[in-house]
Amino acid sequence: MSSSEPVALRLIDREFLIACAPEERDGLLEAAGFLDRKMRELRANAKAPSFERLAVLTAISVTHEFLTLRKQHDGQDRRLSDSLATLRSKLDAVLESDALKR
């Protein structure tokens, strides 16, 4: 059982302490760094948004990117499955034809 440790995360100019397992620390810090960069990008293009509004805009932006990537990934999985099914059918046909010749 892992114990939780507080990790200090900085988003824009605010610090948040979040408890996490030691093995999750690096991933959490990486996620916070990504989120901080996204928030700064949006803040640069917005007219003085509050921290809360900026957090919501960033959440929507990151979620949109995630869903777009997930759809692309799902489409690639379907194409790969279809290709494998076609290849399997061709292989079965060749093996069946070879068995009939014997």
XYZ file of all heavy atoms in Angstrom:
802
model
N 0.847 -1.182 0.000
C 0.000 0.000 0.000
C 0.891 1.243 0.000
O 1.758 1.403 0.840
C -0.895 -0.031 1.227
C -1.856 1.116 1.295
S -3.047 0.812 2.619
C -2.976 2.368 3.399
N 0.681 2.132 -0.955
C 1.468 3.353 -1.063
C 0.884 4.436 -0.176
O -0.319 4.573 -0.051
C 1.465 3.872 -2.505
O 1.877 2.891 -3.389
N 1.781 5.213 0.404
C 1.309 6.346 1.187
C 1.286 7.575 0.290
O 2.030 7.676 -0.673
C 2.219 6.581 2.383
O 3.523 6.905 1.937
N 0.406 8.488 0.601
C 0.308 9.716 -0.178
C 1.249 10.761 0.381
O 1.456 10.840 1.590
C -1.121 10.257 -0.145
O -1.978 9.398 -0.841
N 1.808 11.530 -0.534
C 2.683 12.634 -0.147
C 2.188 13.893 -0.837
O 1.768 13.836 -1.994
C 4.118 12.357 -0.612
C 4.751 11.149 0.016
C 6.152 10.878 -0.530
O 6.635 11.642 -1.381
O 6.751 9.891 -0.099
N 2.254 15.038 -0.160
C 1.828 16.273 -0.811
C 2.857 16.717 -1.859
O 4.060 16.623 -1.655
C 1.740 17.276 0.337
C 2.604 16.732 1.408
C 2.649 15.243 1.220
N 2.339 17.148 -2.998
C 3.183 17.655 -4.080
C 2.703 19.070 -4.379
O 1.504 19.302 -4.537
C 3.068 16.773 -5.341
C 3.880 17.356 -6.483
C 3.510 15.358 -5.034
N 3.633 20.011 -4.462
C 3.283 21.394 -4.763
C 3.271 21.589 -6.274
O 4.254 21.305 -6.955
C 4.285 22.348 -4.121
N 2.131 22.048 -6.783
C 1.980 22.319 -8.209
C 1.715 23.798 -8.407
O 0.949 24.395 -7.666
C 0.789 21.525 -8.771
C 0.778 20.027 -8.529
C -0.522 19.431 -9.056
C 1.969 19.371 -9.182
N 2.357 24.381 -9.415
C 2.125 25.791 -9.714
C 1.379 25.914 -11.030
O 1.796 25.367 -12.035
C 3.439 26.552 -9.804
C 4.110 26.693 -8.443
C 5.136 27.790 -8.388
N 4.618 29.126 -8.589
C 4.008 29.873 -7.666
N 3.800 29.388 -6.470
N 3.601 31.091 -7.937
N 0.258 26.621 -10.967
C -0.520 26.932 -12.163
C -0.657 28.444 -12.217
O -1.206 29.046 -11.293
C -1.903 26.280 -12.104
C -1.922 24.756 -12.052
C -3.337 24.245 -11.855
C -1.305 24.172 -13.312
N -0.128 29.019 -13.292
C -0.032 30.471 -13.434
C 0.749 30.964 -12.213
O 1.892 30.618 -12.060
C -1.412 31.133 -13.614
C -2.147 30.525 -14.820
C -1.279 32.640 -13.758
C -1.561 30.819 -16.171
N 0.125 31.722 -11.348
C 0.849 32.238 -10.178
C 0.284 31.701 -8.868
O 0.460 32.302 -7.820
C 0.813 33.775 -10.172
C 1.501 34.346 -11.389
O 2.534 33.786 -11.801
O 1.003 35.333 -11.958
N -0.376 30.568 -8.954
C -0.957 29.964 -7.755
C -0.316 28.620 -7.484
O 0.067 27.913 -8.398
C -2.466 29.775 -7.921
C -3.212 31.077 -7.998
C -4.679 30.819 -7.928
N -5.416 32.062 -8.076
C -6.722 32.146 -7.956
N -7.432 31.066 -7.683
N -7.334 33.297 -8.097
N -0.232 28.292 -6.211
C 0.340 27.004 -5.818
C -0.760 26.152 -5.204
O -1.576 26.626 -4.426
C 1.471 27.188 -4.815
C 2.173 25.888 -4.481
C 3.420 26.102 -3.654
O 4.409 26.630 -4.203
O 3.395 25.743 -2.463
N -0.751 24.876 -5.578
C -1.721 23.915 -5.065
C -0.960 22.730 -4.505
O -0.026 22.242 -5.138
C -2.656 23.428 -6.187
C -3.466 24.526 -6.808
C -2.970 25.255 -7.881
C -4.722 24.835 -6.316
C -3.711 26.270 -8.457
C -5.476 25.848 -6.886
C -4.967 26.575 -7.962
N -1.365 22.269 -3.326
C -0.795 21.059 -2.749
C -1.770 19.920 -3.023
O -2.948 20.008 -2.676
C -0.584 21.204 -1.243
C 0.620 22.024 -0.816
C 0.657 22.139 0.709
C 1.905 21.421 -1.322
N -1.263 18.892 -3.658
C -2.094 17.737 -3.995
C -1.397 16.488 -3.489
O -0.205 16.286 -3.732
C -2.319 17.650 -5.517
C -3.066 18.887 -5.991
C -3.071 16.375 -5.883
C -3.359 18.924 -7.466
N -2.142 15.658 -2.798
C -1.578 14.405 -2.296
C -1.603 13.364 -3.408
O -2.578 13.246 -4.146
C -2.382 13.913 -1.097
N -0.503 12.653 -3.536
C -0.454 11.568 -4.518
C 0.564 10.536 -4.055
O 1.424 10.809 -3.225
C -0.119 12.087 -5.908
S 1.590 12.560 -6.151
N 0.459 9.351 -4.634
C 1.406 8.277 -4.323
C 2.759 8.649 -4.923
O 2.820 9.296 -5.970
C 0.906 6.964 -4.906
N 3.852 8.262 -4.276
C 5.184 8.619 -4.778
C 5.411 8.213 -6.242
O 6.030 8.952 -6.999
C 6.135 7.860 -3.846
C 5.367 7.663 -2.586
C 3.921 7.513 -3.017
N 4.866 7.068 -6.658
C 5.083 6.614 -8.032
C 4.286 7.433 -9.059
O 4.540 7.350 -10.256
C 4.756 5.123 -8.178
C 3.331 4.746 -7.891
C 3.038 4.411 -6.433
O 3.888 4.676 -5.549
O 1.942 3.890 -6.173
N 3.339 8.249 -8.598
C 2.548 9.100 -9.497
C 3.078 10.532 -9.556
O 2.602 11.336 -10.348
C 1.088 9.110 -9.044
C 0.415 7.765 -9.143
C -0.990 7.776 -8.559
O -1.370 8.766 -7.897
O -1.701 6.791 -8.766
N 4.068 10.846 -8.728
C 4.565 12.218 -8.602
C 5.053 12.806 -9.921
O 4.647 13.902 -10.308
C 5.695 12.258 -7.575
C 6.214 13.638 -7.287
C 7.308 13.601 -6.202
N 7.635 14.920 -5.740
C 8.448 15.758 -6.382
N 9.031 15.385 -7.495
N 8.687 16.958 -5.903
N 5.911 12.088 -10.647
C 6.467 12.612 -11.897
C 5.371 12.877 -12.931
O 5.387 13.899 -13.618
C 7.514 11.656 -12.468
C 8.787 11.619 -11.630
O 9.018 12.557 -10.839
O 9.554 10.644 -11.772
N 4.419 11.961 -13.037
C 3.318 12.147 -13.975
C 2.457 13.343 -13.617
O 2.019 14.097 -14.490
N 2.227 13.531 -12.322
C 1.435 14.664 -11.858
C 2.148 15.984 -12.153
O 1.530 16.938 -12.623
C 1.154 14.526 -10.361
C 0.246 15.571 -9.735
C -1.126 15.566 -10.380
C 0.118 15.318 -8.243
N 3.446 16.024 -11.907
C 4.215 17.235 -12.197
C 4.225 17.532 -13.702
O 4.120 18.689 -14.117
C 5.644 17.104 -11.670
C 5.779 17.143 -10.149
C 7.199 16.753 -9.723
C 5.400 18.516 -9.602
N 4.338 16.489 -14.519
C 4.308 16.670 -15.974
C 2.945 17.211 -16.425
O 2.861 18.120 -17.241
C 4.607 15.344 -16.671
C 4.674 15.459 -18.170
C 4.997 14.137 -18.850
O 5.135 13.099 -18.179
O 5.101 14.162 -20.088
N 1.872 16.647 -15.861
C 0.522 17.105 -16.201
C 0.327 18.561 -15.788
O -0.246 19.364 -16.538
C -0.519 16.215 -15.531
N 0.809 18.923 -14.608
C 0.672 20.305 -14.131
C 1.470 21.255 -15.018
O 1.015 22.359 -15.317
C 1.127 20.417 -12.680
N 2.651 20.842 -15.451
C 3.452 21.678 -16.353
C 2.743 21.898 -17.677
O 2.717 23.017 -18.209
N 2.148 20.839 -18.212
C 1.389 20.942 -19.459
C 0.215 21.899 -19.279
O -0.027 22.782 -20.102
C 0.898 19.543 -19.874
C 0.039 19.541 -21.097
C 0.620 19.532 -22.361
C -1.342 19.537 -21.006
C -0.168 19.531 -23.502
C -2.136 19.529 -22.138
C -1.544 19.522 -23.390
N -0.538 21.713 -18.183
C -1.692 22.554 -17.904
C -1.283 24.013 -17.724
O -1.936 24.923 -18.255
C -2.421 22.040 -16.664
C -3.719 22.734 -16.300
C -4.723 22.650 -17.435
C -4.293 22.115 -15.031
N -0.191 24.248 -17.028
C 0.296 25.615 -16.822
C 0.629 26.276 -18.163
O 0.249 27.427 -18.405
C 1.526 25.597 -15.907
C 2.041 26.998 -15.620
O 1.307 27.791 -14.986
O 3.176 27.294 -16.049
N 1.311 25.537 -19.047
C 1.642 26.104 -20.372
C 0.378 26.427 -21.166
O 0.278 27.483 -21.794
C 2.533 25.149 -21.148
C 3.963 25.076 -20.622
C 4.884 24.265 -21.513
N 4.481 22.871 -21.673
C 4.717 21.908 -20.793
N 5.363 22.174 -19.668
N 4.330 20.663 -21.024
N -0.612 25.534 -21.135
C -1.875 25.771 -21.851
C -2.602 26.992 -21.283
O -3.132 27.811 -22.031
C -2.789 24.551 -21.762
C -2.374 23.413 -22.627
C -2.575 23.789 -24.077
C -2.469 22.585 -24.970
N -2.670 22.940 -26.369
N -2.616 27.110 -19.960
C -3.281 28.248 -19.333
C -2.589 29.552 -19.714
O -3.238 30.551 -19.989
C -3.318 28.075 -17.806
C -4.263 26.983 -17.352
S -4.284 26.746 -15.555
C -5.328 28.122 -15.068
N -1.268 29.532 -19.768
C -0.521 30.736 -20.156
C -0.784 31.100 -21.615
O -0.906 32.279 -21.947
C 0.969 30.543 -19.891
C 1.306 30.530 -18.412
C 2.782 30.264 -18.139
N 3.018 30.100 -16.723
C 3.137 31.105 -15.845
N 3.065 32.343 -16.262
N 3.341 30.859 -14.565
N -0.883 30.090 -22.477
C -1.204 30.353 -23.896
C -2.564 31.037 -24.018
O -2.703 32.020 -24.740
C -1.251 29.042 -24.693
C 0.078 28.434 -25.016
C -0.075 27.067 -25.698
O -1.149 26.791 -26.286
O 0.882 26.272 -25.624
N -3.551 30.496 -23.327
C -4.891 31.072 -23.405
C -4.945 32.454 -22.767
O -5.638 33.342 -23.263
C -5.913 30.140 -22.749
C -6.240 28.883 -23.545
C -7.138 27.959 -22.739
C -6.898 29.226 -24.862
N -4.218 32.639 -21.676
C -4.210 33.943 -21.011
C -3.611 35.011 -21.927
O -4.089 36.148 -21.960
C -3.414 33.873 -19.706
C -3.436 35.193 -18.939
C -2.728 35.094 -17.627
N -1.294 34.927 -17.814
C -0.414 34.928 -16.837
N -0.825 35.064 -15.582
N 0.859 34.766 -17.076
N -2.616 34.630 -22.722
C -1.983 35.581 -23.639
C -2.956 36.045 -24.724
O -2.804 37.143 -25.257
C -0.748 34.948 -24.279
N -3.949 35.229 -25.035
C -4.905 35.560 -26.094
C -6.254 36.045 -25.578
O -7.167 36.254 -26.365
C -5.126 34.335 -26.990
C -3.858 33.925 -27.703
O -3.110 34.759 -28.168
N -3.604 32.628 -27.771
N -6.385 36.199 -24.265
C -7.659 36.615 -23.686
C -7.493 37.966 -22.999
O -6.389 38.369 -22.661
C -8.138 35.568 -22.681
N -8.603 38.630 -22.800
C -8.571 39.930 -22.135
C -8.726 39.746 -20.631
O -9.833 39.645 -20.123
C -9.685 40.833 -22.666
C -9.497 41.235 -24.106
C -10.593 42.148 -24.541
C -10.364 42.556 -26.000
N -11.403 43.447 -26.487
N -7.624 39.662 -19.924
C -7.573 39.581 -18.461
C -8.628 38.661 -17.848
O -9.448 39.098 -17.045
C -7.659 40.982 -17.858
N -8.615 37.368 -18.204
C -9.603 36.466 -17.600
C -9.245 36.159 -16.148
O -8.079 36.195 -15.765
C -9.484 35.204 -18.454
C -8.050 35.210 -18.896
C -7.705 36.670 -19.087
N -10.263 35.856 -15.355
C -10.000 35.442 -13.973
C -9.348 34.060 -14.013
O -9.413 33.350 -15.022
C -11.315 35.369 -13.187
O -12.114 34.300 -13.681
N -8.742 33.672 -12.917
C -8.097 32.360 -12.849
C -9.122 31.256 -13.107
O -8.851 30.314 -13.845
C -7.432 32.156 -11.478
C -6.706 30.856 -11.374
C -5.393 30.736 -11.806
C -7.343 29.731 -10.864
C -4.720 29.524 -11.726
C -6.678 28.516 -10.779
C -5.364 28.411 -11.222
N -10.299 31.404 -12.514
C -11.339 30.380 -12.652
C -11.798 30.258 -14.108
O -11.945 29.162 -14.633
C -12.530 30.684 -11.741
C -12.242 30.500 -10.267
C -11.394 31.619 -9.654
O -11.268 32.720 -10.255
O -10.822 31.391 -8.567
N -12.020 31.389 -14.764
C -12.447 31.371 -16.171
C -11.344 30.763 -17.040
O -11.613 29.965 -17.930
C -12.790 32.781 -16.644
C -13.226 32.825 -18.099
C -13.881 34.164 -18.437
N -14.114 34.318 -19.850
C -15.076 33.719 -20.542
N -15.896 32.894 -19.929
N -15.221 33.930 -21.833
N -10.124 31.125 -16.756
C -8.984 30.591 -17.494
C -8.883 29.071 -17.297
O -8.625 28.336 -18.249
C -7.698 31.278 -17.031
C -6.442 31.036 -17.822
C -6.614 31.419 -19.287
C -5.296 31.838 -17.218
N -9.131 28.607 -16.086
C -9.093 27.167 -15.802
C -10.179 26.433 -16.590
O -9.937 25.368 -17.166
C -9.255 26.912 -14.307
N -11.376 27.004 -16.664
C -12.473 26.380 -17.412
C -12.159 26.369 -18.907
O -12.339 25.349 -19.586
C -13.816 27.089 -17.122
C -14.900 26.619 -18.080
C -14.235 26.858 -15.682
N -11.685 27.489 -19.442
C -11.335 27.556 -20.864
C -10.250 26.537 -21.208
O -10.304 25.874 -22.248
C -10.863 28.965 -21.238
C -11.920 30.056 -21.226
C -11.271 31.427 -21.433
C -12.983 29.793 -22.279
N -9.279 26.406 -20.328
C -8.198 25.451 -20.550
C -8.723 24.021 -20.487
O -8.354 23.179 -21.312
C -7.067 25.657 -19.524
O -6.621 27.018 -19.606
C -5.897 24.740 -19.805
N -9.591 23.741 -19.527
C -10.181 22.402 -19.412
C -10.944 22.042 -20.683
O -10.828 20.924 -21.201
C -11.092 22.320 -18.200
N -11.712 22.983 -21.206
C -12.463 22.733 -22.445
C -11.508 22.499 -23.612
O -11.687 21.570 -24.401
C -13.425 23.899 -22.741
C -14.546 23.914 -21.693
C -13.998 23.798 -24.151
C -15.396 25.159 -21.723
N -10.476 23.304 -23.714
C -9.496 23.175 -24.799
C -8.776 21.829 -24.747
O -8.655 21.132 -25.762
C -8.484 24.321 -24.713
O -7.479 24.170 -25.671
N -8.291 21.460 -23.578
C -7.556 20.200 -23.427
C -8.489 19.002 -23.665
O -8.102 18.024 -24.307
C -6.894 20.123 -22.030
C -6.351 18.738 -21.742
C -5.770 21.157 -21.943
N -9.728 19.092 -23.180
C -10.686 18.018 -23.398
C -10.997 17.864 -24.880
O -11.080 16.748 -25.401
C -11.984 18.269 -22.598
O -11.645 18.381 -21.213
C -12.986 17.158 -22.799
N -11.140 18.967 -25.585
C -11.384 18.919 -27.033
C -10.214 18.245 -27.750
O -10.424 17.373 -28.600
C -11.600 20.340 -27.579
C -11.833 20.369 -29.037
N -10.825 20.605 -29.943
C -12.960 20.154 -29.765
C -11.311 20.549 -31.166
N -12.608 20.284 -31.086
N -9.003 18.608 -27.397
C -7.818 17.968 -27.997
C -7.809 16.470 -27.706
O -7.542 15.659 -28.589
C -6.533 18.597 -27.451
C -6.247 19.978 -27.963
C -4.985 20.573 -27.344
O -4.070 19.805 -26.967
O -4.915 21.804 -27.224
N -8.100 16.104 -26.462
C -8.112 14.701 -26.065
C -9.143 13.907 -26.868
O -8.852 12.826 -27.387
C -8.398 14.578 -24.568
C -8.725 13.179 -24.136
C -7.724 12.226 -24.028
C -10.032 12.806 -23.848
C -8.016 10.927 -23.644
C -10.335 11.511 -23.464
C -9.321 10.565 -23.362
N -10.361 14.439 -26.968
C -11.420 13.728 -27.684
C -11.098 13.593 -29.172
O -11.380 12.552 -29.778
C -12.764 14.431 -27.478
C -13.321 14.361 -26.053
C -14.581 15.208 -25.927
C -13.587 12.926 -25.639
N -10.499 14.621 -29.757
C -10.089 14.559 -31.166
C -9.051 13.461 -31.357
O -9.157 12.650 -32.284
C -9.526 15.921 -31.628
O -10.549 16.916 -31.481
C -9.060 15.870 -33.062
N -8.058 13.413 -30.487
C -7.030 12.366 -30.580
C -7.616 10.981 -30.350
O -7.231 10.018 -31.015
C -5.908 12.641 -29.577
C -5.003 13.819 -29.904
C -4.060 14.106 -28.741
C -4.222 13.557 -31.179
N -8.565 10.874 -29.427
C -9.179 9.572 -29.156
C -9.966 9.076 -30.367
O -9.909 7.902 -30.716
C -10.079 9.648 -27.925
C -10.581 8.261 -27.519
C -11.192 8.235 -26.163
N -12.504 8.855 -26.200
C -13.293 8.966 -25.148
N -12.893 8.544 -23.974
N -14.470 9.523 -25.256
N -10.677 9.991 -31.036
C -11.413 9.606 -32.247
C -10.450 9.135 -33.327
O -10.713 8.150 -34.016
C -12.244 10.785 -32.763
C -13.494 11.038 -31.969
C -14.243 12.236 -32.517
C -15.395 12.624 -31.615
N -16.044 13.854 -32.058
N -9.332 9.846 -33.488
C -8.331 9.438 -34.482
C -7.780 8.059 -34.132
O -7.626 7.209 -35.003
C -7.188 10.452 -34.543
C -7.575 11.777 -35.150
C -6.465 12.813 -35.020
O -5.423 12.581 -34.421
N -6.707 13.992 -35.571
N -7.486 7.839 -32.863
C -6.937 6.559 -32.404
C -7.942 5.434 -32.639
O -7.580 4.360 -33.117
C -6.570 6.650 -30.927
C -5.954 5.411 -30.384
N -6.697 4.437 -29.758
C -4.673 4.973 -30.378
C -5.901 3.454 -29.399
N -4.666 3.750 -29.758
N -9.214 5.680 -32.297
C -10.254 4.675 -32.502
C -10.386 4.334 -33.981
O -10.560 3.170 -34.335
C -11.600 5.154 -31.945
C -11.624 5.213 -30.427
O -10.701 4.660 -29.780
O -12.565 5.824 -29.879
N -10.308 5.343 -34.838
C -10.380 5.109 -36.283
C -9.209 4.275 -36.769
O -9.378 3.376 -37.603
N -8.035 4.532 -36.239
C -6.853 3.747 -36.615
C -7.007 2.308 -36.139
O -6.635 1.375 -36.844
C -5.585 4.376 -36.032
C -5.197 5.665 -36.704
C -4.058 6.382 -36.002
O -3.693 6.054 -34.874
N -3.503 7.381 -36.660
N -7.552 2.113 -34.941
C -7.783 0.761 -34.422
C -8.739 -0.006 -35.337
O -8.515 -1.178 -35.639
C -8.369 0.808 -33.010
C -7.317 1.023 -31.937
O -6.112 1.019 -32.264
O -7.703 1.201 -30.769
N -9.824 0.671 -35.775
C -10.791 0.008 -36.662
C -10.146 -0.363 -37.991
O -10.351 -1.466 -38.502
C -11.999 0.912 -36.906
C -13.063 0.796 -35.838
C -14.353 1.477 -36.241
N -14.217 2.912 -36.403
C -14.193 3.784 -35.405
N -14.291 3.365 -34.168
N -14.069 5.073 -35.639
N -9.355 0.554 -38.553
C -8.689 0.261 -39.829
C -7.714 -0.902 -39.671
O -7.626 -1.761 -40.541
C -7.981 1.508 -40.363
C -8.942 2.544 -40.932
C -8.233 3.657 -41.684
N -7.324 4.437 -40.859
C -7.693 5.445 -40.078
N -8.966 5.787 -39.994
N -6.805 6.113 -39.372
N -6.982 -0.926 -38.573
C -6.043 -2.019 -38.332
C -6.790 -3.338 -38.181
O -6.381 -4.354 -38.759
C -5.197 -1.732 -37.086
C -4.166 -2.781 -36.714
C -3.163 -2.987 -37.853
C -3.436 -2.377 -35.447
N -7.882 -3.333 -37.436
C -8.681 -4.555 -37.268
C -9.232 -5.033 -38.606
O -9.206 -6.231 -38.901
C -9.844 -4.311 -36.303
O -9.362 -4.102 -35.005
N -9.718 -4.103 -39.415
C -10.235 -4.471 -40.740
C -9.132 -5.053 -41.613
O -9.341 -6.051 -42.311
C -10.861 -3.254 -41.438
C -12.135 -2.770 -40.769
O -12.692 -3.511 -39.916
O -12.578 -1.650 -41.090
N -7.951 -4.442 -41.572
C -6.825 -4.930 -42.371
C -6.407 -6.326 -41.915
O -6.109 -7.191 -42.750
C -5.631 -3.983 -42.263
O -5.930 -2.743 -42.844
N -6.378 -6.532 -40.613
C -6.017 -7.851 -40.094
C -7.060 -8.901 -40.478
O -6.707 -10.039 -40.826
C -5.849 -7.812 -38.575
C -4.580 -7.102 -38.078
C -4.617 -6.979 -36.555
C -3.336 -7.830 -38.520
N -8.327 -8.535 -40.450
C -9.385 -9.477 -40.841
C -9.254 -9.833 -42.319
O -9.397 -11.001 -42.701
C -10.757 -8.877 -40.543
N -8.949 -8.853 -43.152
C -8.762 -9.102 -44.584
C -7.556 -10.005 -44.802
O -7.617 -10.959 -45.588
C -8.567 -7.764 -45.341
O -9.727 -6.963 -45.141
C -8.334 -7.988 -46.819
N -6.482 -9.717 -44.119
C -5.269 -10.530 -44.234
C -5.533 -11.967 -43.765
O -5.100 -12.922 -44.417
C -4.141 -9.893 -43.420
C -2.773 -10.538 -43.509
C -2.280 -10.568 -44.954
C -1.787 -9.775 -42.642
N -6.257 -12.110 -42.666
C -6.591 -13.437 -42.150
C -7.428 -14.213 -43.172
O -7.205 -15.397 -43.416
C -7.343 -13.325 -40.826
C -7.614 -14.672 -40.175
C -8.297 -14.552 -38.809
N -7.499 -13.773 -37.891
C -7.923 -12.666 -37.274
N -9.129 -12.211 -37.489
N -7.147 -12.020 -36.433
N -8.393 -13.555 -43.814
C -9.231 -14.208 -44.827
C -8.398 -14.666 -46.015
O -8.578 -15.781 -46.524
C -10.318 -13.254 -45.320
O -11.215 -12.956 -44.293
N -7.479 -13.798 -46.454
C -6.601 -14.165 -47.576
C -5.722 -15.352 -47.205
O -5.542 -16.276 -48.001
C -5.740 -12.977 -48.000
C -6.504 -11.887 -48.690
C -5.591 -10.719 -49.046
C -6.355 -9.603 -49.721
N -5.500 -8.449 -50.032
N -5.179 -15.328 -45.995
C -4.322 -16.418 -45.539
C -5.116 -17.720 -45.444
O -4.650 -18.774 -45.887
C -3.694 -16.069 -44.184
C -2.733 -17.087 -43.583
C -1.574 -17.364 -44.537
C -2.209 -16.599 -42.253
N -6.345 -17.646 -44.903
C -7.201 -18.830 -44.816
C -7.490 -19.382 -46.209
O -7.453 -20.602 -46.426
C -8.519 -18.503 -44.101
C -8.355 -18.304 -42.601
O -7.291 -18.697 -42.054
O -9.277 -17.748 -41.979
N -7.756 -18.502 -47.167
C -8.048 -18.938 -48.539
C -6.838 -19.620 -49.162
O -6.970 -20.662 -49.824
C -8.488 -17.746 -49.387
N -5.647 -19.065 -48.934
C -4.424 -19.667 -49.479
C -4.182 -21.026 -48.847
O -3.859 -22.003 -49.539
C -3.210 -18.729 -49.272
C -1.901 -19.456 -49.543
C -3.325 -17.497 -50.152
N -4.331 -21.119 -47.540
C -4.116 -22.388 -46.841
C -5.143 -23.437 -47.268
O -4.813 -24.603 -47.445
C -4.157 -22.193 -45.321
C -2.986 -21.385 -44.735
C -3.233 -21.118 -43.254
C -1.666 -22.093 -44.953
N -6.374 -23.012 -47.455
C -7.417 -23.939 -47.888
C -7.137 -24.415 -49.307
O -7.270 -25.597 -49.618
C -8.782 -23.222 -47.832
C -9.958 -24.142 -48.040
C -11.262 -23.400 -47.854
O -11.403 -22.678 -46.847
O -12.134 -23.547 -48.720
N -6.728 -23.511 -50.176
C -6.396 -23.867 -51.566
C -5.224 -24.829 -51.597
O -5.225 -25.804 -52.355
C -6.064 -22.597 -52.345
O -5.553 -22.925 -53.610
N -4.238 -24.581 -50.748
C -3.054 -25.454 -50.680
C -3.441 -26.838 -50.173
O -2.942 -27.851 -50.679
C -2.006 -24.813 -49.769
C -0.672 -25.533 -49.825
O -0.220 -25.837 -50.943
O -0.110 -25.799 -48.739
N -4.344 -26.908 -49.203
C -4.782 -28.190 -48.651
C -5.548 -28.993 -49.702
O -5.453 -30.216 -49.753
C -5.643 -27.958 -47.412
N -6.319 -28.332 -50.572
C -7.081 -29.012 -51.610
C -6.182 -29.595 -52.689
O -6.535 -30.587 -53.325
C -8.116 -28.058 -52.230
C -9.267 -27.636 -51.329
C -10.142 -26.605 -52.031
C -10.105 -28.839 -50.923
N -5.038 -28.947 -52.896
C -4.097 -29.417 -53.931
C -3.406 -30.700 -53.523
O -2.888 -31.420 -54.354
C -3.044 -28.337 -54.231
C -3.628 -27.153 -54.958
C -2.549 -26.126 -55.206
C -3.126 -24.878 -55.849
N -2.118 -23.833 -56.013
N -3.368 -30.989 -52.248
C -2.631 -32.181 -51.755
C -3.428 -33.412 -51.842
O -4.429 -33.736 -51.949
C -2.197 -31.961 -50.309
C -1.127 -30.916 -50.223
C -0.687 -30.748 -48.811
N 0.323 -29.686 -48.791
C 0.917 -29.279 -47.730
N 0.662 -29.828 -46.580
N 1.796 -28.339 -47.770
